[in-house]
Amino acid sequence: CPWGAGGASCPGRAGVTVPCPAALRRARRQEQLVSKRLLREDSAAQEGTQDGADGVPDPLSEEEVLELLRGVQRGSEDRKRWLGRLRWALQNEDTQQKFVRSAQACCASYQGHVSRALCPCAWVAELGGDSSLWVPRLDGSIRTLTGLFTSSLAELQLEAARCLHELSHSSVPAVAEACLPVTSYLLTYLSGHSLELTELCLYTLGNLVVESEAVRKQLLPQGIIPVLASCIQSPHEAVLEGVGYVLSQLLQAKEAPTEIIPLVLDSALPQHMLQLVCSGLKAAMGAAVEFAWCLHYIICRHQDNELLLALGAVPALTSLLLDLAAQIPQEAPEGLELLVCPVLRCLSNLLAQTDCQSPDRRLLIALFLILQCFLQQHPFLVHECLWLLNNLTADDPSCCSALLSLDLLPALLQLLTCSQMGTVLVLTVLCNMAEKGQSQCQRLLQQPLLAQLLPLLTLPDPEAVGQCLELLHLLFLHCPEAAADFTRQGGHQALEQHQSTPELQERAQALLVMVRQPPGAPSACQATLAASS
C-alpha cells in the first residue's frame, strides 16, 4: 500500500483542479494529493459578467485584453469595475495565456537594462511619441497588475489580488511562472490587517507552488517558512486553513525531503501543527484537517521523526482518537472522517518507524468504535484502521493479547469480506497474532476461524489467497491438530486447486504435506527445530 506501514507517500496527480477544499480533501485521501483551489465570492464574480452570463467566459482576443488593461490604467472611478471585468475574463485559460505570454518574452529580453524604472515594453508611445497618450501594451500586463496590487487603495489592491488569484489557478505552468515577480509581495501582505487579502495571498501562493519548481525555489530564500510559522499563530480559522494548504503543497514537492522538511522542522511549525490537529474536535476543523495531512507528509517522507516523537506526537494523536471515539455519535458529523483519515496514517507510520512504548489498550477499542461508526458511509476508513491495527500488532505481543482479552476478535473476523484490501489486511493482523505462538493460535481457533478461511481460498485475488495460506501455515505449525480439522472440513481439496498457480503452488504444496502428516507426528518444521537444538 502506498501509504501504509512502509511509510511511503502516495504519488498523487499534480495539477488536478478541484472546485472546493472539501472536494479536494475527499479526493486526497486516495491519490489526488496535489491540487489547486479557487476562492470566489458569487457577488464578486458577477461583477465582471456581462448580462448576467454564467459559467466560464469566452476567450478574448489580444485587442480585447488590451482594452481591459487600458480601462484598468485609467485613473477614474471605473477602475475597480474594469478590474472586475478583467478578473472575469481571466477565468478563461486561453485569455490567461494571452495575458502573460508577451510579458515573459519581453522581460527576458530586457535583462540588464536599468535606465528606466519600468521595462520599456510596458508602455508604447502613440501619435508621434506624445507621452500623455502612452497606453499599456499587453507585454506589461503583469507589471500593471503588480502595480495595482501594491497600491495604497485597498479596494483596487483587493481586486488586483483576485486577478492574480485567478492566474494562479491556471493549469499552464508558464502562467504560474509569469507571476514570479509577485511572490515577494504576496509574502509581505500575509502580515497585513485585511483578513480577506491575507486569505487570498495564501491560496494564491499555494496554487503557484504546485507545478513550478522555479516558484518554490524563489519562495524559500524569500522566507516563506518563517512567514508561515508566524501566520500559524493567527486567531482566524480561515488564515490557519490557508496556511495549512500552502504548507501541504510545499511538503509534497519532490525536493521537500531535502530542502523543505528540514526548514519546517527547524521552525516553530511542528508544535503548532500538532496542537491544532489535536484541538480539531473542539474548533477549527478545517485547519486541523490541513495540518494533519502536513504531519502525514513529514512523517512518511522523513526518516528521522525524533522531533515529532519528542513533542509527544504518539500520545497526543492517540488521545485525539480516544476522544473522538468517546464522543462519536451514531451518525458522525459531516467532514469528521476527513480528520480521522490523516490522523490514523500519522499514528500508523510513527509506530512503524520507531520502537514506541506499547500504546494505551483503549486505542484498540477506539479503533473498533471508529470502524463501527464509519463502516457504512465511509468504508475507506476500514483500511486506515486496519493498517494501524497491523502496525500495532506486528511487533507487540501485548496488543495481540489485548485483542483477545477485550473480545475484539469476532468484530475483526466480521471484516474478512468487507473488501479486497480489507480481506488482506485482516488476514495480515491474524498472521501477526498467530506468529506469537501456540497460546495465541489456540485462542484464535476457539473461533470458527477455519470455516471462515475456506471460502477465502477460492477468491480470485492471489494476494488474499497467499495471505490466507500464510495464516494456515502458522496455525498448523503451532497447533498441528488444526490441520486435521481443516482436512475434515474439505480444506485438502481447496489447497490442491492452487498447486498449478505459480505464485501459490509452493506454499500450497507445503500445506498439503502438513495436512497429510499422521496425528502426533512432528511436522517438517518442528523436526528441523528439534534437530538444530
Side-chain angles (χ1 to χ4, degrees):
C1 176
W3 34 256
S9 62
C10 290
R13 291 195 302 238
V16 181
T17 300
V18 177
C20 66
L24 168 68
R25 296 192 203 105
R26 292 188 185 95
R28 181 172 53 183
R29 68 174 181 247
Q30 303 265 331
E31 59 175 343
Q32 193 171 304
L33 301 182
V34 180
S35 190
K36 294 190 174 187
R37 301 190 198 172
L38 193 57
L39 300 179
R40 282 183 188 155
E41 295 180 2
D42 293 339
S43 59
Q46 289 171 2
E47 280 185 38
T49 62
Q50 297 179 357
D51 301 325
D54 294 325
V56 177
D58 294 330
L60 300 185
S61 67
E62 291 192 357
E63 283 302 317
E64 288 172 319
V65 174
L66 181 56
E67 177 61 27
L68 283 177
L69 283 169
R70 285 173 176 154
V72 167
Q73 281 291 336
R74 294 187 185 114
S76 66
E77 295 181 357
D78 290 338
R79 187 180 289 181
K80 181 184 175 184
R81 181 172 60 85
W82 281 103
L83 271 172
R85 292 178 60 187
L86 176 61
R87 176 158 64 102
W88 166 249
L90 290 176
Q91 293 181 27
N92 183 283
E93 195 166 88
D94 185 66
T95 301
Q96 292 174 345
Q97 293 179 66
K98 288 174 182 172
F99 188 81
V100 304
R101 187 168 50 233
S102 298
Q104 287 182 310
C106 170
C107 292
S109 66
Y110 190 65
Q111 289 180 357
H113 293 264
V114 293
S115 58
R116 299 181 61 172
L118 292 176
C119 174
C121 75
W123 304 92
V124 57
E126 295 185 352
L127 300 178
D130 183 351
S131 61
S132 66
L133 296 176
W134 281 9
V135 294
R137 279 180 55 189
L138 201 58
D139 312 61
S141 55
I142 294 293
R143 289 182 178 273
T144 299
L145 209 50
T146 303
L148 292 168
F149 178 55
T150 56
S151 74
S152 58
L153 301 174
E155 288 189 344
L156 293 183
Q157 184 184 43
L158 200 56
E159 279 300 321
R162 290 176 181 139
C163 290
L164 290 168
H165 184 60
E166 291 289 346
L167 288 172
S168 76
H169 195 255
S170 173
S171 61
V172 179
V175 176
E177 293 187 7
C179 297
L180 271 171
V182 190
T183 55
S184 60
Y185 299 110
L186 290 168
L187 286 178
T188 298
Y189 291 129
L190 290 182
S191 58
H193 299 293
S194 169
L195 181 60
E196 187 175 0
L197 183 63
T198 300
E199 188 179 12
L200 271 170
C201 290
L202 283 167
Y203 283 95
T204 301
L205 284 166
N207 289 343
L208 289 176
V209 303
V210 171
E211 294 169 321
S212 175
E213 185 177 357
V215 172
R216 296 193 296 271
K217 286 189 176 298
Q218 179 160 301
L219 283 168
L220 288 175
Q222 286 177 346
I224 187 171
I225 300 303
V227 171
L228 293 178
S230 176
C231 288
I232 202 174
Q233 301 178 56
S234 169
H236 303 289
E237 182 175 357
V239 172
L240 293 174
E241 191 166 349
V243 172
Y245 169 62
V246 178
L247 196 57
S248 70
Q249 303 291 65
L250 287 169
L251 290 170
Q252 293 169 88
K254 62 181 181 180
E255 68 273 17
T258 56
E259 298 180 26
I260 298 173
I261 292 178
L263 293 175
V264 172
L265 293 176
D266 285 341
S267 72
L269 282 167
Q271 63 191 66
H272 289 294
M273 284 193 286
L274 192 59
Q275 181 181 0
L276 286 166
V277 169
C278 293
S279 61
L281 295 178
K282 303 179 180 68
M285 174 70 77
V289 171
E290 294 301 326
F291 290 117
W293 282 107
C294 289
L295 289 175
H296 166 62
Y297 301 143
I298 292 173
I299 292 166
C300 70
R301 304 191 72 183
H302 191 61
Q303 294 182 350
D304 182 6
N305 287 295
E306 287 187 5
L307 175 63
L308 289 174
L309 293 170
L311 290 172
V314 170
L317 295 174
T318 299
S319 179
L320 174 61
L321 290 176
L322 293 177
D323 290 344
L324 186 150
Q327 301 173 24
I328 212 164
Q330 288 296 108
E331 293 185 4
E334 178 66 25
L336 186 59
E337 76 282 359
L338 304 176
L339 175 62
V340 176
C341 178
V343 169
L344 288 169
R345 293 188 187 184
C346 286
L347 194 52
S348 184
N349 281 314
L350 283 173
L351 291 172
Q353 293 178 18
T354 59
D355 296 327
C356 294
Q357 184 179 1
S358 295
D360 193 324
R361 283 164 49 112
R362 294 176 299 166
L363 179 58
L364 297 174
I365 300 174
L367 284 177
F368 281 90
L369 289 173
I370 292 169
L371 281 167
Q372 181 181 3
C373 175
F374 292 110
L375 179 59
Q376 298 301 322
Q377 290 187 330
H378 306 291
F380 73 93
L381 277 178
V382 173
H383 305 153
E384 308 289 349
C385 289
L386 289 174
W387 264 114
L388 177 52
L389 192 59
N390 169 60
N391 289 353
L392 285 169
T393 56
D395 297 308
D396 193 339
S398 65
C399 277
C400 295
S401 298
L403 267 176
L404 295 166
S405 61
L406 294 171
D407 199 24
L408 297 174
L409 184 58
L412 178 64
L413 294 178
Q414 287 178 6
L415 301 173
L416 263 175
T417 56
C418 66
S419 67
Q420 182 176 339
M421 182 182 287
T423 298
V424 174
L425 290 172
V426 172
L427 288 169
T428 304
V429 173
L430 292 171
C431 284
N432 291 341
M433 300 173 71
E435 191 181 29
K436 303 302 184 289
Q438 183 181 25
S439 175
Q440 295 277 8
C441 288
Q442 288 175 340
R443 297 183 70 178
L444 286 175
L445 291 168
Q446 290 174 4
Q447 303 289 329
L449 181 57
L450 296 177
Q452 290 179 274
L453 294 181
L454 270 172
L456 301 184
L457 292 174
T458 64
L459 292 176
D461 178 20
E463 186 180 5
V465 175
Q467 200 66 25
C468 187
L469 295 176
E470 177 66 22
L471 177 58
L472 287 171
H473 173 264
L474 290 168
L475 292 172
F476 296 168
L477 176 65
H478 295 295
C479 298
E481 65 276 11
D485 291 341
F486 186 70
T487 302
R488 282 193 292 270
Q489 296 181 40
H492 189 278
Q493 292 84 354
L495 292 174
E496 285 180 337
Q497 66 181 339
H498 294 297
Q499 290 188 96
S500 58
T501 306
E503 63 264 43
L504 300 174
Q505 60 185 7
E506 187 175 345
R507 281 177 284 181
Q509 186 60 41
L511 286 172
L512 283 169
V513 171
M514 296 179 79
V515 299
R516 288 169 181 158
Q517 292 284 338
S523 68
C525 293
Q526 289 172 324
T528 301
L529 288 173
S532 62
S533 60

